[in-house]
Structures are given as C-alpha cells and as structure tokens.
Amino acid sequence: MIGLPFVYTVTGLLFGFYALLSAWDRRPGNAGFWGLMALSFLLGDRIGDIGNGVLALGLVAIAGAGLMRPARAMQDGVAPRGDALFVPVLIVPAAALGGTILARARPDWLDPQQATLVALVAGVLVALGVACLWLRPRPETPFREGLRLMDSVGWAVVLPQMLVSLGAIFALSGVGTVVGTLLGMVIPEGSLIGAAIVYGVGMALFTIVMGNAFAAFPVMMAAVGLPLLIHGHHGNAAAISAIGMLSGFCGTLLTPMAANFNIVPAALLELRNRNGVVRAQMATALPLLAVNIALMIWLAF
C-alpha cells in the first residue's frame, strides 16, 4: 500500500538535490538548510525526538544567522509555448482527483487517509516528466528553477510546519485550559452568542499572533469550542470546527507572521511596502470574520 512514506521519500530526495546544487554553487548556508530538510523527511522517523529537535534548532540557526543567499537565475532558451504550457500544470489536480477516486475503489493500493496527498505528489512527477519530454530542457533546469523559487521563499518555507508544531505543544501543555479559564471570566454565563464571538475572534487573534490557523485551532478548541459550544450548547462539532478554521484564516490575512502567504508574495512581486499584501486584505478579512461568526451561530445550533 502506497502512503506517506512515498511522499516523504520524494520530498526528501528533492531537498537533497537542492542541497547538492547549493553546495555546487558554493552556498554552504543554503546547502546546510536544504540538507537538514532532506534529512528530516528521509530519516525523521529514525533519529528520534531529540534528533529532530536538534535538526530544528539547526534550521533556526542557519536562518537566524542570515546564511542563506539567493540562487542565480537560468536562461535555458526554451521557446514560448503559449497557453499550452498549462497542460502539465493541469495534470496535477487531475491526478489528485483521480487518485482520490482510485483509493475508494482499491483501498489496497493507496492509503485511503493519505490518497489525495499521495496522488498529488504522483501527479507532480507525471507533470514533470511530461514537461521534460515536451520542452526538452537541460536535465538540471527543473531542479535549478525549483531551487531558485525555494531560495526566494527561504526559511519561510518551513514556517507552517513549525507553527503547527507550536500549536500541538500549546495543546499538550494545557495552554487551552488556561485560556479557557481566563475567557470564562469574559463570556456571560450561558451566552451562546458571546461564546461564538469569543471563539471566532479568538481564532483570528491567535492566528495573527502565531501566524497559522492550524496552530491556533487546538488552543481555542480546548478553551471555548469544546467545553462551551459543543458540550455546553450541544453544537454541531463539524460545523464549529470548520467555521472556526475559516475564522482563523481571516487572521491569516491580517498578519505578517503568515510569511508564506503575506511576506513572500510581497518579496516575489518586489512590492515597496512589505506589508502591502496585508493592508490590501484587511477590507476582506474583517467583514468575512463577522460573516463566519454569524454562519456558525446559524448552522451549528
């Protein structure tokens, strides 16, 4: 059965190629960063918790010391192909959809719980093969261009994983319980509307601080969602969870901490104001947060 090990292996090998190319270009900081990323995907389940912790500290040390430098751009000379270039791109979502359907029909082939992710990676490999056979670039060009993009993103590529881990640590350390006790002093006793507002706004605020809704979710769910909305008011758990995440995504639109969404695009587009993306999204995020809270009250109870 094909599952997450396939995804981790492909991703680890890709980061390994990036590390080798960076070393060839005499950029030791980049080589070290991508090498550690490759190690985490290929051997993360074998080096143990302490090993993974040391690995994470190594990533932070390289990024914090500013040792990563941008990659050079390449000129491969591939002739323009117009809108037909979207054909390889469309292979990826088609493969993801097909893999999900296949997993239902043949659960012995693909892990049903990871079918979409496995099919997505397989689709990327197929699309890459089709593009190479069609465009005939130099063998190293796809990896060079991928490395150039990854180096443009830099350390922010690992930020979502770091923040999700932080959310798990908060949940295990009982931060949600402490926050729930404090918020219980603010929410009027027995107030459904008050609990829903605090839950939705709290998801957005925690996301703004932590940079990731997945990190904020376990805290606010333990603090308000589970004890008050689900157990206290007998709300629909699926609706409360889903709309809570949507409220958190409103916070994502409002924070530079969500670097991969808000800072990286500003850097790639060479905007003068690095917070320009955040400012442009405020007019959407705030009304959308209010709508999410209203929908939660309407749909979940």
Side-chain angles (χ1 to χ4, degrees):
M1 180 184 295
I2 304 175
L4 278 181
F6 167 74
V7 176
Y8 290 156
T9 300
V10 172
T11 308
L13 291 175
L14 180 62
F15 281 125
F17 279 124
Y18 290 164
L20 292 175
L21 290 174
S22 298
W24 180 264
D25 293 340
R26 298 180 180 179
R27 295 183 297 136
N30 300 64
F33 190 90
W34 301 126
L36 289 175
M37 288 290 294
L39 182 64
S40 70
F41 279 97
L42 294 174
L43 299 176
D45 58 341
R46 298 183 182 181
I47 61 178
D49 294 339
I50 295 178
N52 281 290
V54 172
L55 188 150
L57 291 175
L59 292 173
V60 172
I62 293 173
L67 300 178
M68 299 182 70
R69 295 189 291 110
R72 60 184 176 86
M74 292 187 64
Q75 298 294 330
D76 198 280
V78 175
R81 304 296 176 124
D83 293 340
L85 282 174
F86 284 100
V87 173
V89 176
L90 294 175
I91 291 175
V92 179
L97 177 60
T100 304
I101 297 174
L102 178 63
R104 294 180 179 178
R106 297 301 303 267
D108 55 323
W109 288 7
L110 293 178
D111 183 355
Q113 294 183 346
Q114 308 296 339
T116 302
L117 186 58
V118 171
L120 181 68
V121 173
V124 170
L125 295 177
V126 172
L128 177 62
V130 169
C132 289
L133 290 174
W134 176 31
L135 301 174
R136 304 285 182 177
R138 292 196 295 267
E140 74 275 14
T141 296
F143 300 102
R144 284 284 183 188
E145 289 302 315
L147 176 61
R148 181 181 62 81
L149 178 61
M150 293 299 288
D151 282 335
S152 298
V153 177
W155 59 265
V157 71
V158 76
L159 187 60
Q161 292 90 334
M162 291 286 193
L163 292 173
V164 169
S165 300
L166 180 62
I169 292 172
F170 277 12
L172 292 173
S173 61
V175 172
T177 303
V178 175
V179 173
T181 301
L182 296 175
L183 293 178
M185 302 176 183
V186 178
I187 303 173
E189 185 175 357
S191 174
L192 169 62
I193 295 178
I197 292 174
V198 169
Y199 175 64
V201 173
M203 275 295 301
L205 291 177
F206 264 89
T207 301
I208 290 173
V209 173
M210 303 173 74
N212 192 300
F214 290 96
F217 181 75
V219 175
M220 289 307 301
M221 178 56 72
V224 180
L226 193 60
L228 297 183
L229 296 178
I230 296 176
H231 290 166
H233 294 282
H234 308 289
N236 184 290
I240 291 170
S241 300
I243 299 177
M245 286 297 296
L246 291 175
S247 300
F249 296 153
C250 294
T252 301
L253 299 176
L254 297 171
T255 177
M257 283 293 290
N260 52 323
F261 292 107
N262 299 329
I263 299 301
V264 170
L268 294 178
L269 295 173
E270 298 181 354
L271 301 181
R272 293 182 179 180
N273 185 355
R274 292 180 64 86
N275 292 317
V277 174
V278 174
R279 291 186 177 183
Q281 292 170 163
M282 286 183 178
T284 300
L286 295 176
L288 187 58
L289 176 59
V291 171
N292 282 333
I293 294 173
L295 280 175
M296 180 166 53
I297 297 172
W298 179 42
L299 294 175
F301 300 95

